[in-house]
Amino acid sequence: MSIFWLILAIALGLVEALTPQLVSIWFAVGAVGGCITSLFTDKIWLQVVVAVVVALVTLVVTRPLSKRVLDTKKTYTNSDRNIGKIAVVVTDIDNVQSVGQVKVGSTIWSAKSVDDTIIKKDSKVVVKAIEGAKLLVELTQ
C-alpha cells in the first residue's frame, strides 16, 4: 500500500508542477502522510483518514499564507485614468461592425458601446471601463 501512496504523492506533485496556481500540493502532502502511515499499519481506513487529516490541516494552515504571497494584484496603467471621464465620439460607434473612436483629452481611442447601441459622431459619452485596447463607453445623461 505504501507504493500506492508514494505514486499518488508523485502524481499530485506533478499535477501541481504543471498548474500555475496551488491546487494539489496539500493533497500530495496528505498522500505522503498516508504513505508513512502505511509503513506502520495495514489498516487502509486509517491510512485514508491520516491522509485526509494531513491534507486538511496543511490546507488550513498554509492556504491563507499562500493566498497572500501568490495574490496577483491588479496592475493599473495610465489608461485607467480615463475611466469616468467624458469623451467625444469622433467616429460612429457600432459594435456589430467593430468601429468607433472617441477623443479623451487630446488622445483618440478605439471604443465600444457598453450596451451595443450605435452612438453617433459628436455625441458625448462617459468612459465606463477598458477592454483590451478599447474604451467601453455609454451616452451621458
Side-chain angles (χ1 to χ4, degrees), residues 67-105:
K67 280 189 72 109
R68 212 171 330 136
V69 170
L70 299 176
D71 189 24
T72 55
K73 303 284 187 235
K74 183 175 181 181
T75 304
Y76 293 97
T77 62
N78 287 335
S79 60
D80 291 329
R81 72 180 182 273
N82 293 318
I83 296 174
K85 288 194 175 178
I86 302 297
V88 176
V89 178
V90 293
T91 304
D92 289 355
I93 298 172
D94 186 346
N95 291 0
V96 174
Q97 294 181 16
S98 292
V99 294
Q101 291 182 323
V102 296
K103 185 173 185 179
V104 182

mmCIF file of all heavy atoms in Angstrom, residues 67-105:
data_model
loop_
_atom_site.group_PDB
_atom_site.id
_atom_site.type_symbol
_atom_site.label_atom_id
_atom_site.label_comp_id
_atom_site.label_asym_id
_atom_site.label_seq_id
_atom_site.Cartn_x
_atom_site.Cartn_y
_atom_site.Cartn_z
ATOM 1 N N LYS A 67 -2.163 32.406 -0.282
ATOM 2 C CA LYS A 67 -3.000 33.396 -0.976
ATOM 3 C C LYS A 67 -2.376 34.778 -0.887
ATOM 4 O O LYS A 67 -2.394 35.541 -1.845
ATOM 5 C CB LYS A 67 -4.414 33.415 -0.401
ATOM 6 C CG LYS A 67 -5.282 32.296 -0.938
ATOM 7 C CD LYS A 67 -6.697 32.484 -0.523
ATOM 8 C CE LYS A 67 -7.316 33.603 -1.253
ATOM 9 N NZ LYS A 67 -8.294 33.321 -2.247
ATOM 10 N N ARG A 68 -1.819 35.098 0.266
ATOM 11 C CA ARG A 68 -1.200 36.404 0.445
ATOM 12 C C ARG A 68 0.062 36.542 -0.401
ATOM 13 O O ARG A 68 0.284 37.559 -1.048
ATOM 14 C CB ARG A 68 -0.847 36.612 1.925
ATOM 15 C CG ARG A 68 -0.930 38.026 2.375
ATOM 16 C CD ARG A 68 -0.783 38.191 3.874
ATOM 17 N NE ARG A 68 -1.277 37.042 4.611
ATOM 18 C CZ ARG A 68 -0.658 36.473 5.638
ATOM 19 N NH1 ARG A 68 0.471 36.970 6.069
ATOM 20 N NH2 ARG A 68 -1.162 35.437 6.254
ATOM 21 N N VAL A 69 0.869 35.498 -0.433
ATOM 22 C CA VAL A 69 2.128 35.536 -1.170
ATOM 23 C C VAL A 69 1.887 35.491 -2.674
ATOM 24 O O VAL A 69 2.526 36.197 -3.441
ATOM 25 C CB VAL A 69 3.043 34.364 -0.741
ATOM 26 C CG1 VAL A 69 4.242 34.244 -1.653
ATOM 27 C CG2 VAL A 69 3.482 34.543 0.694
ATOM 28 N N LEU A 70 0.937 34.663 -3.107
ATOM 29 C CA LEU A 70 0.698 34.483 -4.536
ATOM 30 C C LEU A 70 -0.395 35.373 -5.089
ATOM 31 O O LEU A 70 -0.694 35.304 -6.279
ATOM 32 C CB LEU A 70 0.340 33.014 -4.813
ATOM 33 C CG LEU A 70 1.416 31.993 -4.453
ATOM 34 C CD1 LEU A 70 0.904 30.590 -4.678
ATOM 35 C CD2 LEU A 70 2.677 32.245 -5.259
ATOM 36 N N ASP A 71 -0.980 36.207 -4.268
ATOM 37 C CA ASP A 71 -2.076 37.056 -4.718
ATOM 38 C C ASP A 71 -1.565 38.021 -5.776
ATOM 39 O O ASP A 71 -0.634 38.782 -5.554
ATOM 40 C CB ASP A 71 -2.668 37.834 -3.542
ATOM 41 C CG ASP A 71 -3.947 38.562 -3.916
ATOM 42 O OD1 ASP A 71 -4.611 38.132 -4.879
ATOM 43 O OD2 ASP A 71 -4.279 39.549 -3.237
ATOM 44 N N THR A 72 -2.190 37.957 -6.949
ATOM 45 C CA THR A 72 -1.791 38.849 -8.021
ATOM 46 C C THR A 72 -2.595 40.136 -7.898
ATOM 47 O O THR A 72 -3.809 40.127 -7.956
ATOM 48 C CB THR A 72 -2.039 38.210 -9.397
ATOM 49 O OG1 THR A 72 -3.401 37.819 -9.479
ATOM 50 C CG2 THR A 72 -1.142 37.013 -9.602
ATOM 51 N N LYS A 73 -1.890 41.196 -7.710
ATOM 52 C CA LYS A 73 -2.531 42.497 -7.589
ATOM 53 C C LYS A 73 -2.836 43.024 -8.986
ATOM 54 O O LYS A 73 -2.124 42.764 -9.937
ATOM 55 C CB LYS A 73 -1.603 43.482 -6.876
ATOM 56 C CG LYS A 73 -1.159 43.021 -5.500
ATOM 57 C CD LYS A 73 -2.255 43.192 -4.495
ATOM 58 C CE LYS A 73 -1.745 42.885 -3.118
ATOM 59 N NZ LYS A 73 -2.476 41.917 -2.414
ATOM 60 N N LYS A 74 -3.910 43.779 -9.086
ATOM 61 C CA LYS A 74 -4.249 44.393 -10.356
ATOM 62 C C LYS A 74 -3.235 45.491 -10.636
ATOM 63 O O LYS A 74 -2.956 46.322 -9.780
ATOM 64 C CB LYS A 74 -5.661 44.967 -10.309
ATOM 65 C CG LYS A 74 -6.119 45.551 -11.610
ATOM 66 C CD LYS A 74 -7.556 45.999 -11.558
ATOM 67 C CE LYS A 74 -7.966 46.565 -12.895
ATOM 68 N NZ LYS A 74 -9.344 47.036 -12.875
ATOM 69 N N THR A 75 -2.672 45.453 -11.831
ATOM 70 C CA THR A 75 -1.700 46.455 -12.217
ATOM 71 C C THR A 75 -2.420 47.564 -12.973
ATOM 72 O O THR A 75 -3.005 47.333 -14.025
ATOM 73 C CB THR A 75 -0.610 45.837 -13.126
ATOM 74 O OG1 THR A 75 -0.014 44.744 -12.439
ATOM 75 C CG2 THR A 75 0.436 46.858 -13.489
ATOM 76 N N TYR A 76 -2.374 48.728 -12.411
ATOM 77 C CA TYR A 76 -3.033 49.865 -13.029
ATOM 78 C C TYR A 76 -2.087 50.499 -14.046
ATOM 79 O O TYR A 76 -0.891 50.562 -13.847
ATOM 80 C CB TYR A 76 -3.465 50.886 -11.980
ATOM 81 C CG TYR A 76 -4.551 50.353 -11.089
ATOM 82 C CD1 TYR A 76 -4.269 49.813 -9.851
ATOM 83 C CD2 TYR A 76 -5.874 50.359 -11.527
ATOM 84 C CE1 TYR A 76 -5.279 49.302 -9.052
ATOM 85 C CE2 TYR A 76 -6.886 49.855 -10.730
ATOM 86 C CZ TYR A 76 -6.576 49.329 -9.494
ATOM 87 O OH TYR A 76 -7.573 48.825 -8.714
ATOM 88 N N THR A 77 -2.670 50.949 -15.141
ATOM 89 C CA THR A 77 -1.895 51.611 -16.177
ATOM 90 C C THR A 77 -2.380 53.046 -16.298
ATOM 91 O O THR A 77 -3.398 53.421 -15.720
ATOM 92 C CB THR A 77 -2.072 50.895 -17.530
ATOM 93 O OG1 THR A 77 -3.454 50.976 -17.899
ATOM 94 C CG2 THR A 77 -1.647 49.446 -17.444
ATOM 95 N N ASN A 78 -1.687 53.814 -17.099
ATOM 96 C CA ASN A 78 -2.099 55.199 -17.288
ATOM 97 C C ASN A 78 -3.465 55.295 -17.947
ATOM 98 O O ASN A 78 -4.175 56.275 -17.777
ATOM 99 C CB ASN A 78 -1.060 55.958 -18.115
ATOM 100 C CG ASN A 78 0.182 56.243 -17.313
ATOM 101 O OD1 ASN A 78 0.132 56.299 -16.093
ATOM 102 N ND2 ASN A 78 1.301 56.422 -17.983
ATOM 103 N N SER A 79 -3.850 54.284 -18.720
ATOM 104 C CA SER A 79 -5.148 54.329 -19.388
ATOM 105 C C SER A 79 -6.305 54.247 -18.391
ATOM 106 O O SER A 79 -7.414 54.692 -18.692
ATOM 107 C CB SER A 79 -5.257 53.215 -20.428
ATOM 108 O OG SER A 79 -5.118 51.961 -19.820
ATOM 109 N N ASP A 80 -6.072 53.715 -17.214
ATOM 110 C CA ASP A 80 -7.116 53.625 -16.192
ATOM 111 C C ASP A 80 -7.616 54.998 -15.757
ATOM 112 O O ASP A 80 -8.742 55.121 -15.279
ATOM 113 C CB ASP A 80 -6.606 52.869 -14.956
ATOM 114 C CG ASP A 80 -6.374 51.409 -15.237
ATOM 115 O OD1 ASP A 80 -7.087 50.850 -16.092
ATOM 116 O OD2 ASP A 80 -5.470 50.825 -14.618
ATOM 117 N N ARG A 81 -6.808 56.003 -15.931
ATOM 118 C CA ARG A 81 -7.222 57.352 -15.521
ATOM 119 C C ARG A 81 -8.375 57.867 -16.365
ATOM 120 O O ARG A 81 -9.035 58.822 -16.001
ATOM 121 C CB ARG A 81 -6.042 58.316 -15.561
ATOM 122 C CG ARG A 81 -5.596 58.677 -16.956
ATOM 123 C CD ARG A 81 -4.414 59.652 -16.941
ATOM 124 N NE ARG A 81 -4.034 60.020 -18.279
ATOM 125 C CZ ARG A 81 -3.192 59.352 -19.056
ATOM 126 N NH1 ARG A 81 -2.616 58.252 -18.593
ATOM 127 N NH2 ARG A 81 -2.901 59.769 -20.269
ATOM 128 N N ASN A 82 -8.637 57.224 -17.516
ATOM 129 C CA ASN A 82 -9.729 57.650 -18.390
ATOM 130 C C ASN A 82 -11.104 57.179 -17.914
ATOM 131 O O ASN A 82 -12.123 57.723 -18.349
ATOM 132 C CB ASN A 82 -9.491 57.157 -19.816
ATOM 133 C CG ASN A 82 -8.294 57.817 -20.443
ATOM 134 O OD1 ASN A 82 -8.098 59.016 -20.295
ATOM 135 N ND2 ASN A 82 -7.476 57.043 -21.114
ATOM 136 N N ILE A 83 -11.142 56.187 -17.045
ATOM 137 C CA ILE A 83 -12.425 55.681 -16.563
ATOM 138 C C ILE A 83 -13.142 56.785 -15.794
ATOM 139 O O ILE A 83 -12.586 57.417 -14.905
ATOM 140 C CB ILE A 83 -12.240 54.425 -15.698
ATOM 141 C CG1 ILE A 83 -11.656 53.296 -16.549
ATOM 142 C CG2 ILE A 83 -13.556 53.988 -15.070
ATOM 143 C CD1 ILE A 83 -11.280 52.048 -15.791
ATOM 144 N N GLY A 84 -14.402 57.028 -16.190
ATOM 145 C CA GLY A 84 -15.203 58.071 -15.561
ATOM 146 C C GLY A 84 -15.139 59.413 -16.280
ATOM 147 O O GLY A 84 -15.920 60.309 -15.990
ATOM 148 N N LYS A 85 -14.224 59.568 -17.217
ATOM 149 C CA LYS A 85 -14.097 60.833 -17.935
ATOM 150 C C LYS A 85 -15.110 60.919 -19.072
ATOM 151 O O LYS A 85 -15.582 59.926 -19.592
ATOM 152 C CB LYS A 85 -12.685 60.995 -18.489
ATOM 153 C CG LYS A 85 -11.663 61.282 -17.404
ATOM 154 C CD LYS A 85 -10.380 61.761 -18.003
ATOM 155 C CE LYS A 85 -9.421 62.168 -16.884
ATOM 156 N NZ LYS A 85 -8.146 62.599 -17.414
ATOM 157 N N ILE A 86 -15.396 62.136 -19.445
ATOM 158 C CA ILE A 86 -16.282 62.415 -20.579
ATOM 159 C C ILE A 86 -15.434 62.433 -21.851
ATOM 160 O O ILE A 86 -14.339 63.002 -21.870
ATOM 161 C CB ILE A 86 -16.997 63.774 -20.402
ATOM 162 C CG1 ILE A 86 -17.807 63.788 -19.104
ATOM 163 C CG2 ILE A 86 -17.868 64.079 -21.615
ATOM 164 C CD1 ILE A 86 -18.932 62.783 -19.060
ATOM 165 N N ALA A 87 -15.949 61.801 -22.893
ATOM 166 C CA ALA A 87 -15.258 61.756 -24.184
ATOM 167 C C ALA A 87 -16.220 62.200 -25.272
ATOM 168 O O ALA A 87 -17.441 62.176 -25.090
ATOM 169 C CB ALA A 87 -14.765 60.339 -24.450
ATOM 170 N N VAL A 88 -15.671 62.570 -26.408
ATOM 171 C CA VAL A 88 -16.465 62.965 -27.567
ATOM 172 C C VAL A 88 -16.249 61.912 -28.656
ATOM 173 O O VAL A 88 -15.107 61.540 -28.956
ATOM 174 C CB VAL A 88 -16.046 64.361 -28.079
ATOM 175 C CG1 VAL A 88 -16.818 64.722 -29.333
ATOM 176 C CG2 VAL A 88 -16.257 65.401 -26.993
ATOM 177 N N VAL A 89 -17.340 61.452 -29.243
ATOM 178 C CA VAL A 89 -17.256 60.448 -30.293
ATOM 179 C C VAL A 89 -16.767 61.121 -31.566
ATOM 180 O O VAL A 89 -17.355 62.088 -32.037
ATOM 181 C CB VAL A 89 -18.638 59.776 -30.520
ATOM 182 C CG1 VAL A 89 -18.563 58.765 -31.649
ATOM 183 C CG2 VAL A 89 -19.132 59.126 -29.243
ATOM 184 N N VAL A 90 -15.666 60.607 -32.143
ATOM 185 C CA VAL A 90 -15.120 61.180 -33.374
ATOM 186 C C VAL A 90 -15.439 60.308 -34.589
ATOM 187 O O VAL A 90 -15.376 60.784 -35.721
ATOM 188 C CB VAL A 90 -13.591 61.423 -33.274
ATOM 189 C CG1 VAL A 90 -13.303 62.503 -32.249
ATOM 190 C CG2 VAL A 90 -12.849 60.159 -32.959
ATOM 191 N N THR A 91 -15.772 59.048 -34.369
ATOM 192 C CA THR A 91 -16.229 58.135 -35.417
ATOM 193 C C THR A 91 -17.388 57.344 -34.831
ATOM 194 O O THR A 91 -17.274 56.844 -33.705
ATOM 195 C CB THR A 91 -15.105 57.156 -35.830
ATOM 196 O OG1 THR A 91 -13.965 57.893 -36.236
ATOM 197 C CG2 THR A 91 -15.551 56.256 -36.964
ATOM 198 N N ASP A 92 -18.491 57.238 -35.572
ATOM 199 C CA ASP A 92 -19.653 56.494 -35.061
ATOM 200 C C ASP A 92 -19.231 55.179 -34.433
ATOM 201 O O ASP A 92 -18.389 54.469 -34.984
ATOM 202 C CB ASP A 92 -20.637 56.195 -36.201
ATOM 203 C CG ASP A 92 -21.369 57.442 -36.687
ATOM 204 O OD1 ASP A 92 -21.187 58.508 -36.078
ATOM 205 O OD2 ASP A 92 -22.115 57.312 -37.671
ATOM 206 N N ILE A 93 -19.841 54.853 -33.280
ATOM 207 C CA ILE A 93 -19.533 53.602 -32.579
ATOM 208 C C ILE A 93 -20.606 52.586 -32.936
ATOM 209 O O ILE A 93 -21.798 52.811 -32.719
ATOM 210 C CB ILE A 93 -19.484 53.821 -31.051
ATOM 211 C CG1 ILE A 93 -18.374 54.809 -30.695
ATOM 212 C CG2 ILE A 93 -19.291 52.491 -30.339
ATOM 213 C CD1 ILE A 93 -18.364 55.229 -29.236
ATOM 214 N N ASP A 94 -20.170 51.472 -33.497
ATOM 215 C CA ASP A 94 -21.069 50.378 -33.870
ATOM 216 C C ASP A 94 -20.367 49.067 -33.535
ATOM 217 O O ASP A 94 -19.423 48.664 -34.221
ATOM 218 C CB ASP A 94 -21.404 50.449 -35.363
ATOM 219 C CG ASP A 94 -22.449 49.420 -35.781
ATOM 220 O OD1 ASP A 94 -22.731 48.485 -35.004
ATOM 221 O OD2 ASP A 94 -22.976 49.558 -36.903
ATOM 222 N N ASN A 95 -20.812 48.417 -32.473
ATOM 223 C CA ASN A 95 -20.168 47.182 -32.019
ATOM 224 C C ASN A 95 -20.263 46.062 -33.045
ATOM 225 O O ASN A 95 -19.362 45.239 -33.156
ATOM 226 C CB ASN A 95 -20.770 46.717 -30.701
ATOM 227 C CG ASN A 95 -20.430 47.640 -29.549
ATOM 228 O OD1 ASN A 95 -19.747 48.637 -29.722
ATOM 229 N ND2 ASN A 95 -20.930 47.324 -28.377
ATOM 230 N N VAL A 96 -21.356 46.010 -33.802
ATOM 231 C CA VAL A 96 -21.544 44.950 -34.788
ATOM 232 C C VAL A 96 -20.478 45.040 -35.884
ATOM 233 O O VAL A 96 -19.920 44.036 -36.315
ATOM 234 C CB VAL A 96 -22.966 45.007 -35.397
ATOM 235 C CG1 VAL A 96 -23.126 44.003 -36.515
ATOM 236 C CG2 VAL A 96 -24.006 44.769 -34.309
ATOM 237 N N GLN A 97 -20.184 46.265 -36.302
ATOM 238 C CA GLN A 97 -19.181 46.460 -37.347
ATOM 239 C C GLN A 97 -17.773 46.652 -36.770
ATOM 240 O O GLN A 97 -16.814 46.818 -37.510
ATOM 241 C CB GLN A 97 -19.547 47.661 -38.216
ATOM 242 C CG GLN A 97 -20.814 47.445 -39.013
ATOM 243 C CD GLN A 97 -21.136 48.643 -39.895
ATOM 244 O OE1 GLN A 97 -20.298 49.506 -40.135
ATOM 245 N NE2 GLN A 97 -22.367 48.684 -40.381
ATOM 246 N N SER A 98 -17.651 46.643 -35.461
ATOM 247 C CA SER A 98 -16.374 46.836 -34.757
ATOM 248 C C SER A 98 -15.685 48.135 -35.157
ATOM 249 O O SER A 98 -14.485 48.160 -35.448
ATOM 250 C CB SER A 98 -15.440 45.649 -34.993
ATOM 251 O OG SER A 98 -15.948 44.497 -34.374
ATOM 252 N N VAL A 99 -16.469 49.208 -35.177
ATOM 253 C CA VAL A 99 -15.904 50.524 -35.479
ATOM 254 C C VAL A 99 -16.292 51.500 -34.386
ATOM 255 O O VAL A 99 -17.287 51.310 -33.697
ATOM 256 C CB VAL A 99 -16.386 51.067 -36.855
ATOM 257 C CG1 VAL A 99 -15.861 50.210 -37.982
ATOM 258 C CG2 VAL A 99 -17.888 51.186 -36.903
ATOM 259 N N GLY A 100 -15.512 52.534 -34.261
ATOM 260 C CA GLY A 100 -15.832 53.593 -33.322
ATOM 261 C C GLY A 100 -14.592 54.132 -32.646
ATOM 262 O O GLY A 100 -13.678 53.373 -32.320
ATOM 263 N N GLN A 101 -14.571 55.451 -32.507
ATOM 264 C CA GLN A 101 -13.462 56.099 -31.825
ATOM 265 C C GLN A 101 -13.988 57.258 -30.995
ATOM 266 O O GLN A 101 -14.982 57.891 -31.360
ATOM 267 C CB GLN A 101 -12.435 56.637 -32.828
ATOM 268 C CG GLN A 101 -11.675 55.558 -33.564
ATOM 269 C CD GLN A 101 -10.640 56.152 -34.512
ATOM 270 O OE1 GLN A 101 -10.878 57.179 -35.137
ATOM 271 N NE2 GLN A 101 -9.495 55.495 -34.589
ATOM 272 N N VAL A 102 -13.296 57.503 -29.900
ATOM 273 C CA VAL A 102 -13.625 58.639 -29.055
ATOM 274 C C VAL A 102 -12.348 59.422 -28.766
ATOM 275 O O VAL A 102 -11.239 58.882 -28.855
ATOM 276 C CB VAL A 102 -14.278 58.209 -27.714
ATOM 277 C CG1 VAL A 102 -15.615 57.544 -27.959
ATOM 278 C CG2 VAL A 102 -13.364 57.316 -26.904
ATOM 279 N N LYS A 103 -12.559 60.678 -28.399
ATOM 280 C CA LYS A 103 -11.425 61.517 -28.017
ATOM 281 C C LYS A 103 -11.564 61.858 -26.545
ATOM 282 O O LYS A 103 -12.562 62.430 -26.125
ATOM 283 C CB LYS A 103 -11.395 62.788 -28.873
ATOM 284 C CG LYS A 103 -10.183 63.642 -28.624
ATOM 285 C CD LYS A 103 -10.128 64.791 -29.615
ATOM 286 C CE LYS A 103 -8.842 65.571 -29.427
ATOM 287 N NZ LYS A 103 -8.757 66.685 -30.390
ATOM 288 N N VAL A 104 -10.553 61.469 -25.793
ATOM 289 C CA VAL A 104 -10.492 61.781 -24.364
ATOM 290 C C VAL A 104 -9.285 62.689 -24.182
ATOM 291 O O VAL A 104 -8.154 62.280 -24.442
ATOM 292 C CB VAL A 104 -10.338 60.513 -23.495
ATOM 293 C CG1 VAL A 104 -10.322 60.871 -22.020
ATOM 294 C CG2 VAL A 104 -11.417 59.507 -23.786
ATOM 295 N N GLY A 105 -9.543 63.907 -23.769
ATOM 296 C CA GLY A 105 -8.442 64.864 -23.682
ATOM 297 C C GLY A 105 -7.926 65.126 -25.085
ATOM 298 O O GLY A 105 -8.667 65.530 -25.974
#
